[in-house]
Amino acid sequence: MHSDRPRDVLIPPLGLAGTLTLPVNARGLIAFAHGSGSSRLSPRNTLVARALNHRGFATLLLDLLTPQEEQDRSNVFNIVMLGDRLVAAIDWLQSQTSAIADLPIGLFGASTGAAAALIAAARLPDRVAAVVSRGGRPDLAGNALPHVRAPTLLIVGGADSGVIGLNEGALARLQEPKALEIIPGATHLFPEPGAMDAVIEHASRWFERYLHSPSSVRAASRQSQ
């Protein structure tokens, strides 16, 4: 499939719902992990995904829980399970046709989804090439943080004071390359004028810089040290 039109997919083994968009000559594929109280239909993640599509990246927006599981709020904060679901989604992507399977994988996580993305990156160091967190809780990834090899960008709103500190603590536990971008005046969901535009610009630049095969990124990082 080569099309800018989104396609609904089901991720085995649970049949988790996803939306896959594959531009012609895609340069990489970015899977999105949403936060608590959201879904693959999140207007903010959809906005980011469309912008990345326009820059030549394929995207997968997916739900990490079944509708039944979403009824139990404790599942939303079961970060290890959410990380497992994201790993399963990556496995599924790399079982598809070469047009999809051969693309380097990036992860974009929001809120608790950021922790799930980092857990998946730590478990798949040879498959996840880059990670971006938007208003995330990377601290919830806990002991997985030092094991993340993918270049990681943390984006936080400047008015999201409590989350800034949690991101700073997580940043200290991550390995290079890593960065923290604070969007001045933005709150947790980045509703302020221009805030999501800034998120998109920072995320796009990060993926354009680092979304290659993980081994080539690590080699380039070592040469620059």
Side-chain angles (χ1 to χ4, degrees):
M1 182 195 77
H2 280 81
S3 173
D4 287 315
R5 299 179 62 180
R7 175 167 68 104
D8 291 334
V9 296
L10 295 175
I11 313 297
L14 297 176
L16 298 174
T19 303
L20 178 66
T21 304
L22 182 63
V24 175
N25 298 323
R27 58 202 295 184
L29 192 152
I30 300 157
F32 283 68
H34 60 78
S36 58
S38 188
S39 74
R40 73 187 188 286
L41 304 177
S42 159
R44 290 167 295 278
N45 281 354
T46 299
L47 184 67
V48 176
R50 287 176 178 168
L52 290 169
N53 295 151
H54 291 153
R55 297 194 185 211
F57 293 106
T59 55
L60 175 66
L61 294 157
L62 74 155
D63 290 337
L64 297 178
L65 298 173
T66 66
Q68 293 77 17
E69 289 172 335
E70 289 175 353
Q71 303 306 311
D72 183 349
R73 291 296 296 169
S74 66
N75 288 325
V76 173
F77 298 97
N78 188 336
I79 304 301
V80 173
M81 181 178 72
L82 298 180
D84 290 342
R85 301 288 173 84
L86 202 48
V87 168
I90 294 170
D91 288 341
W92 175 81
L93 286 168
Q94 297 193 316
S95 73
Q96 301 303 298
T97 63
S98 60
I100 296 173
D102 293 345
L103 295 174
I105 298 292
L107 301 176
F108 184 100
S111 189
T112 51
L118 288 164
I119 285 176
R123 288 186 54 189
L124 302 174
D126 295 323
R127 288 194 274 170
V128 176
V131 178
V132 173
S133 161
R134 172 184 63 82
R137 288 292 308 276
D139 57 297
L140 295 178
N143 291 332
L145 289 169
H147 300 287
V148 174
R149 299 292 182 268
T152 300
L153 172 64
L154 309 178
I155 305 174
V156 188
D160 199 4
S161 55
V163 174
I164 292 175
L166 295 173
N167 275 257
E168 289 174 336
L171 184 74
R173 302 186 67 190
L174 289 167
Q175 300 193 37
E176 297 285 354
K178 60 184 178 180
L180 172 64
E181 292 287 352
I182 297 176
I183 310 300
T187 52
H188 187 60
L189 296 179
F190 300 87
E192 294 77 16
M196 282 303 300
D197 291 335
V199 169
I200 288 169
E201 189 60 31
H202 286 304
S204 298
R205 288 181 180 177
W206 195 260
F207 286 128
E208 286 168 350
R209 182 176 182 183
Y210 290 114
L211 192 48
H212 311 288
S213 69
S215 58
S216 67
V217 170
R218 286 196 291 271
S221 176
R222 286 193 296 269
Q223 291 172 3
S224 65
Q225 291 176 357

